[in-house]
Amino acid sequence: MPLDYSKWDALELSDDSDIEVHPNVDKRSFIRAKQNQIHMERAQRKNQIETLKYERIINDSLIKRISSLLSSLRSHAAEAESRNPGEVAFRAVMESAVSLDPKDDQPPPRPAGVHNAEEQLPTYTKMMATLLDQVNKALDEKKVSQEQRYSAMVEEIEDHLKKVTDLQSELHKKLAELETEESRKITSEKIHTGFDSSIINKSKEPAPSSSAPASSSVELLNPNFSTSPPEKTTTEDIGDDEMEASPAGVAFAKIKSGSYQESLAYLSKHPEILTEKETDGLLVLAFDAQLQNRDDYARNCVHQALLLQYCRALGRDGVALFFKRITTPGHQAQGVFFKDVQDTYAKIKNRAREINIQRAKDEAEGNVEGVEQIQLHAVEPGTVINIRIPPSDSQDPEEQKGRQIFDGFKPEMKKALETGSLDEVNKALGKMKVDEAEEMVGLLGEAGILSLEEEIIDATTAEGEKKLEQLREEAKYADDPE
């Protein structure tokens, strides 16, 4: 059962862990802002679509009523030449209203989110009355004579009909554009069950016997399979923990790809790993292994991940059905499955190679982004951070405590501190993880190894005078950053 990965191009995700941002921009804040932007644009687009659909209904009803009024007026045009045009027009209006269903006179309520949704629209009869008032007002302003008033009224109403028709055409065009944009992306709201099919061979009920009935149940290899539609999830609901394979899933990934009997026995003991979460977790393991150039293990993880996926896709008895097909010599299912494994692994391998190449390039250029480091620097101008290691023979309890803390440091940190150079200490901190470096800084302060002191500058020399001027400029900038 080959999978169509081309649909991935149409996915609209509100969270992308692979996104790259400027080192001065917080990645989590950037992702949250991106999420809010995507959700806001999606909600605004849906609101516009609902509004345009509602306006289309109103305009269709108005076009129907205006067209009916024009037909009635045109049918009485000859009569208006011999009688009072106003009376003829009034009778034409009444006849056009009689032909319409009174139940349809009230417009449907505005959907939620539409402007002034709480206010109810006037009836179509009131809208038509307002239209006739506008027509009569326009005729009065043009000072149309009584003989020409009837034909002028028809022309004015035709102009209104044309305006509504043109507006409806623009509305259809705009609505088509929005619906095309909405359907261009696949979101979590569009996830639905395509089809479910299962065949159950019911066994005949045994004949009743005088003995006590014995209850029997069928033990399934895939008890987690459910025919009910899956609950809709969004990308915000999927956390990093849910992408990790369980210990049982990791152990399953270590089974060699050709050992199907061993895989079947393991699934019989651990049917709980037949979930989408475990499949995703094994694919993540494959990706991490490929980044470390562990090709064989990465390919094996992909094989075991797709094995779980195929077992779920084949239905309630999918485990038994899959292993029966995959172990049958010459079965066409083998070619389909192995091709899917190879294609998926190729995608992971190519992506991992691109990332490794980019990392090597960034490291060569000294532009390693996204790596947090803890570094020590003096904030106040004219101050320096001094390093003082507590002596081993001190009788001071505080220094003895500090010496004990120093003796517990790793050799790399001890060596850096013994140089007395803050740059060497920062290099050692840069090689640590952030939480480990933060703990180390706390221990350095607790041991009294770091101290902040004013820098002594010899202003009698040219170099010292230059540095003093530089400190004055920094102090000025600190007081008035503008």
Side-chain angles (χ1 to χ4, degrees), residues 100-335:
L100 300 173
D101 190 353
K103 296 180 181 179
D104 298 333
D105 193 33
Q106 182 63 48
R110 292 187 177 99
V114 177
H115 182 62
N116 294 333
E118 65 280 357
E119 297 182 7
Q120 189 174 7
L121 283 177
T123 61
Y124 290 115
T125 302
K126 291 183 179 180
M127 293 183 191
M128 293 299 296
T130 303
L131 173 62
L132 292 175
D133 288 341
Q134 294 176 0
V135 170
N136 288 325
K137 184 177 180 181
L139 295 178
D140 292 339
E141 291 177 354
K142 294 179 181 179
K143 299 180 180 180
V144 179
S145 62
Q146 191 69 17
E147 294 78 10
Q148 298 177 349
R149 193 174 184 86
Y150 192 86
S151 59
M153 179 185 295
V154 174
E155 292 177 359
E156 285 288 336
I157 296 176
E158 287 177 345
D159 289 341
H160 280 277
L161 178 61
K162 185 177 183 302
K163 291 179 182 179
V164 179
T165 305
D166 293 343
L167 179 63
Q168 190 76 331
S169 299
E170 295 178 1
L171 185 147
H172 279 287
K173 183 178 178 181
K174 180 64 175 176
L175 182 59
E177 293 176 357
L178 291 175
E179 289 179 340
T180 301
E181 178 67 18
E182 181 71 12
S183 61
R184 189 174 65 87
K185 293 293 185 180
I186 300 175
T187 63
S188 59
E189 298 177 357
K190 297 178 182 177
I191 298 177
H192 64 280
T193 302
F195 60 89
D196 284 330
S197 176
S198 60
I199 301 175
I200 302 176
N201 295 326
K202 295 184 179 180
S203 59
K204 296 182 179 180
E205 296 183 0
S209 59
S210 57
S211 60
S215 61
S216 61
S217 60
V218 179
E219 181 180 1
L220 300 176
L221 287 177
N222 189 1
N224 294 330
F225 178 78
S226 175
T227 57
S228 60
E231 295 182 359
K232 293 184 178 180
T233 60
T234 61
T235 53
E236 293 87 347
D237 300 331
I238 301 177
D240 294 338
D241 295 339
E242 297 185 22
M243 294 294 290
E244 296 181 1
S246 64
V250 174
F252 182 71
K254 297 179 180 179
I255 300 176
K256 296 298 182 182
S257 57
S259 304
Y260 292 112
Q261 294 299 329
E262 185 178 355
S263 295
L264 177 58
Y266 191 87
L267 288 178
S268 301
K269 295 180 181 179
H270 301 278
E272 70 277 3
I273 68 173
L274 287 163
T275 61
E276 184 179 0
K277 169 184 175 295
E278 296 294 344
T279 298
D280 294 340
L282 294 189
L283 291 177
V284 170
L285 281 179
F287 190 80
D288 292 340
Q290 192 61 45
L291 286 174
Q292 302 171 8
N293 295 321
R294 299 167 60 192
D295 296 1
D296 295 338
Y297 181 64
R299 188 183 293 105
N300 200 79
C301 288
V302 172
H303 180 280
Q304 297 299 88
L306 294 186
L307 188 152
L308 297 178
Q309 177 177 321
Y310 273 65
C311 287
R312 292 197 319 272
L314 289 174
R316 185 178 295 274
D317 297 326
V319 175
L321 185 59
F322 173 81
F323 283 98
K324 178 180 178 181
R325 292 178 177 179
I326 204 68
T327 55
T328 301
H331 199 287
Q332 62 178 0
Q334 296 177 355

Side-chain angles (χ1 to χ4, degrees), residues 76 82 90 108 174 325 336 456 478 480:
H76 293 82
S82 58
F90 178 77
K174 180 64 175 176
R325 292 178 177 179
V336 173
I456 300 176
D480 187 11

